[in-house]
Amino acid sequence: MTTMNVFTPTSSAKKVMSFWQLVGVPARGASLYTALHNGLPFEVYAKLAKVSGLEKSELANATVIASATLQRRAKAGKFNKDESDRLYRFAEVYKSALDLFEGNNHDASNWLKSPVRGLGNKRPIEMLSTSAETEAVLNLIGRLEHGVFA
């Protein structure tokens, strides 16, 4: 009779949280679509600011959410569908930049706030208010990841 060693996790084994878990947004699929349609919880805003290293005012500017709107959403406890979509777009771009810089938050945040030649010397963080601009930023990140500079 042979015995098998079976791995049993101990209480000291830590589960590594994904980026999407840290910010409180489903990564993809039906749960993401439902969350965006119903409105993301207000806490997502603070979590995104913390994870990205941005000031809350910088995040508000990037996602085109006015301070008066933020105050109303804080009371309501959630964002509307359009605001949720803009927050998600920011999260998607930030996550892609984070992957580009191999998990270095500082470098990813600096890149977002710096003029980028491939975007006509615009700062990526200034190009997140429309889906077309967001797509241009994501496309550039994809090209950079694959070594395509033109």
Side-chain angles (χ1 to χ4, degrees), residues 82-94:
D82 292 332
E83 295 153 355
S84 296
D85 186 53
R86 291 194 302 269
L87 287 166
Y88 174 75
R89 285 196 311 245
F90 171 81
E92 187 177 26
V93 166
Y94 184 76

Side-chain angles (χ1 to χ4, degrees), residues 27-48:
R28 65 180 74 84
S31 57
L32 170 63
Y33 313 142
T34 300
L36 294 175
H37 277 276
N38 292 339
L40 293 176
F42 185 78
E43 299 80 38
V44 168
Y45 175 73
K47 290 176 181 180
L48 274 173

Side-chain angles (χ1 to χ4, degrees), residues 9 16 24-25 28 32 34-35 48 53 58 63-64 83 88-89 103 105-106 108 126 138-139:
V16 177
V25 176
R28 65 180 74 84
L32 170 63
T34 300
L48 274 173
E58 288 177 302
T63 56
V64 194
E83 295 153 355
Y88 174 75
R89 285 196 311 245
N105 286 17
H106 183 262
E126 295 172 341
L138 290 169
N139 286 340

Side-chain angles (χ1 to χ4, degrees), residues 1-76:
M1 178 181 228
T2 44
T3 59
M4 286 181 22
N5 291 333
V6 177
F7 173 75
T8 307
T10 64
S11 60
S12 63
K14 292 183 179 179
K15 180 182 177 189
V16 177
M17 291 183 77
S18 76
F19 170 83
W20 298 107
Q21 289 170 319
L22 284 173
V23 297
V25 176
R28 65 180 74 84
S31 57
L32 170 63
Y33 313 142
T34 300
L36 294 175
H37 277 276
N38 292 339
L40 293 176
F42 185 78
E43 299 80 38
V44 168
Y45 175 73
K47 290 176 181 180
L48 274 173
K50 182 178 180 179
V51 167
S52 67
L54 294 178
E55 296 292 327
K56 289 181 180 179
S57 60
E58 288 177 302
L59 180 57
N61 287 336
T63 56
V64 194
I65 301 175
S67 60
T69 301
L70 283 172
Q71 291 173 356
R72 287 194 308 275
R73 299 305 178 243
K75 289 179 185 173

Side-chain angles (χ1 to χ4, degrees), residues 106-125:
H106 183 262
D107 288 349
S109 292
N110 281 344
W111 184 82
L112 286 174
K113 295 189 262 183
S114 301
V116 175
R117 186 174 176 195
L119 297 172
N121 289 320
K122 289 187 177 182
R123 299 179 329 140
I125 199 166

